[in-house]
Amino acid sequence: LPAISNQFGNAANVTISSNTTLTQNLICENLTINSGVTLTTNGYAIICYQTFTNNGTIVGGLNQKDTNYPNSYGGSGGGGGWGYSGSGEGGYSTLAPGGVAGGRCCNCSGGNGTTPSMPTITTTLINNIYNNPTSYLSGASGGAGGPSAVCGSASGGYGSYGVYIQANNITAGTINTVGQQGAQGSGCNGWPGGGGGGGGGGTILLIYKNSYTSGTYNN
């Protein structure tokens, strides 16, 4: 078997029985995530030659708020709100436009980003995602909120990494790839600051050959 994540060593059959974060792609014969356990993938792929069984929760984790994901299929970020003065930013785009900035009013919220469609799944695309899943499936970060009269603006929330799982047999369980909520701007003189836009959700992509049991997906 190829080498897998260093926290498991070169094991054919892996059972995850405590909360764990991946540091590289996880490749093994069979993988089981126990009930009550959270596996945070941070954008790395899970490849099982036989069976993947999730009885716990998979979380994509939050990306590094990188605004440059030209090949990403994740959700676009929400737009930042305006405060008393100054302009909120639009959400950062992946393959779809980000949310527009908020209107010129006190504490207005920004617009939602649009939801991009998934591309046609091809062998080339799967190879690209496998080789660089942290880029291809990530959601974009949210736009910053505009400042109040003299105070600071809020940062947009981080986007979520996506989740890529490939196995002959998949029992998906619960998978969460939700972007971070934007912060509230620091107001002053009785005026609230504009809020930052929320980060985009990551794409969940499950590739299977023989059997698939669907789960609960939040992105």
Side-chain angles (χ1 to χ4, degrees):
L1 292 173
I4 64 171
S5 312
N6 55 21
Q7 62 263 53
F8 301 115
N10 191 22
N13 300 303
V14 174
T15 298
I16 300 178
S17 56
S18 60
N19 295 344
T20 302
T21 299
L22 295 185
T23 59
Q24 57 186 281
N25 291 343
L26 195 165
I27 303 172
C28 62
E29 193 81 15
N30 300 288
L31 174 66
T32 300
I33 302 171
N34 285 348
S35 177
V37 171
T38 297
L39 174 64
T40 302
T41 59
N42 278 348
Y44 293 107
I46 297 174
I47 310 295
C48 301
Y49 295 124
Q50 295 301 327
T51 299
F52 168 84
T53 303
N54 176 22
N55 297 316
T57 300
I58 291 180
V59 175
L62 298 175
N63 68 41
Q64 298 305 301
K65 205 178 175 183
D66 193 336
T67 62
N68 183 24
Y69 281 112
N71 296 314
S72 174
Y73 297 103
S76 55
W82 288 23
Y84 172 64
S85 63
S87 171
E89 296 181 37
Y92 301 112
S93 178
T94 52
L95 292 182
V100 297
R104 185 181 294 277
C105 64
C106 177
N107 203 30
C108 276
S109 60
N112 293 324
T114 59
T115 302
S117 299
M118 275 298 292
T120 301
I121 303 299
T122 63
T123 299
T124 299
L125 179 63
I126 291 173
N127 287 337
N128 289 340
I129 292 172
Y130 172 76
N131 287 322
N132 195 5
T134 57
S135 174
Y136 268 85
L137 300 179
S138 291
S141 59
S148 61
V150 293
C151 298
S153 62
S155 298
Y158 287 12
S160 174
Y161 284 121
V163 167
Y164 177 89
I165 298 170
Q166 179 180 316
N168 276 350
N169 308 291
I170 290 179
T171 299
T174 299
I175 302 177
N176 298 326
T177 60
V178 179
Q180 185 181 52
Q181 181 176 343
Q184 173 63 39
S186 57
C188 58
N189 300 326
W191 297 98
T203 298
I204 299 170
L205 185 58
L206 310 179
I207 305 294
Y208 67 97
K209 181 178 181 180
N210 296 326
S211 67
Y212 162 70
T213 302
S214 63
T216 300
Y217 311 123
N218 304 299
N219 68 346

